[in-house]
Amino acid sequence: MNTKVKNSNSSKRHFLGGGTFSWSRTLDDVWREVEHRIDHAPRKRLHQILRMSGFRYAAAAVVLLLLGSTLTIQLYTKTIATQWGEQLTVSLPDASTVKLNAQSELKYKPLAWMFKREVKLKGEAFFEVTHGKRFSVTSALGQTRVLGTSFNIFARDNLYKVVCVTGKVEVKAGKNQRVVIEPNSQASFGSDGTLQVAPATDALVNLGWLH
């Protein structure tokens, strides 16, 4: 069917103001256009949905990747332990060094080190800390914090003792007990539950294991 619409009712339309306009398209043209719109409209919507879904999946993948990286940084822990009669020197990511005495254990997070300098200690160790952000050593009975100094920590059984060699050392133990010690002084926390400070007159004895 390819007949032109020529009658006056179809070919011309009158406006209220008296003007007219002509319509020269055939009925076949109109039907083909309608069918085309019907056929292609769902495809366009589907394409848009797929594009939106692709963006969402990509965003979800980026979020999961960031979460995975963050968890890896926070959870990855390196553990170094010494056996009976063994001593070991450990280099930390900021060039600080830790000399572990026998039967001691040191834990730290190398991937998170640039954000937080913190180690966990069981046993005894001598620390030489490079200047930088606050450096923390955590043990079962207490916590020692410094900026850059050298000190010895003894943390075995129910005794926690810190001897300051250079710089200043902050020691926290017990129920909100806190002291700051300077070179040739020591802080100790024992079964009596009090944090005490005393001159390190026996410093050479305390550090004798280093030699």
Side-chain angles (χ1 to χ4, degrees), residues 185-202:
S185 61
Q186 63 181 17
S188 59
F189 180 81
S191 57
D192 59 354
T194 59
L195 185 60
Q196 299 178 353
V197 177
T201 54
D202 56 348

Side-chain angles (χ1 to χ4, degrees), residues 1-15:
M1 181 176 180
N2 194 26
T3 305
K4 292 283 185 177
V5 182
K6 293 183 179 180
N7 60 73
S8 59
N9 292 332
S10 300
S11 61
K12 292 184 178 181
R13 300 297 182 190
H14 291 269
F15 289 106

Side-chain angles (χ1 to χ4, degrees), residues 57-180:
Y57 288 138
V62 171
V63 171
L64 289 176
L65 181 61
L66 291 175
L67 288 176
S69 301
T70 302
L71 288 175
T72 300
I73 291 174
Q74 292 295 325
L75 296 179
Y76 174 63
T77 302
K78 188 171 184 178
T79 302
I80 301 171
T82 54
Q83 305 301 318
W84 178 263
E86 178 186 14
Q87 293 180 348
L88 184 64
T89 299
V90 180
S91 295
L92 298 175
D94 62 345
S96 297
T97 59
V98 184
K99 296 180 180 179
L100 283 177
N101 201 356
Q103 291 187 305
S104 299
E105 180 183 88
L106 184 76
K107 291 184 178 182
Y108 68 97
K109 298 177 179 180
L111 298 180
W113 191 260
M114 63 179 297
F115 305 105
K116 188 175 183 180
R117 300 197 301 173
E118 181 178 29
V119 301
K120 292 183 178 180
L121 173 68
K122 292 181 181 179
E124 185 173 17
F126 181 80
F127 293 81
E128 291 183 294
V129 179
T130 59
H131 285 274
K133 295 181 179 179
R134 189 177 297 277
F135 186 102
S136 300
V137 183
T138 303
S139 299
L141 294 179
Q143 183 184 61
T144 300
R145 300 194 302 177
V146 299
L147 293 177
T149 185
S150 57
F151 55 95
N152 190 82
I153 295 180
F154 180 93
R156 297 187 191 276
D157 301 326
N158 294 321
L159 179 60
Y160 183 71
K161 182 165 61 175
V162 180
V163 177
C164 179
V165 178
T166 61
K168 291 184 179 181
V169 179
E170 178 188 81
V171 182
K172 297 172 65 177
K175 295 182 179 180
N176 300 321
Q177 298 183 67
R178 171 185 172 275
V179 296
V180 176

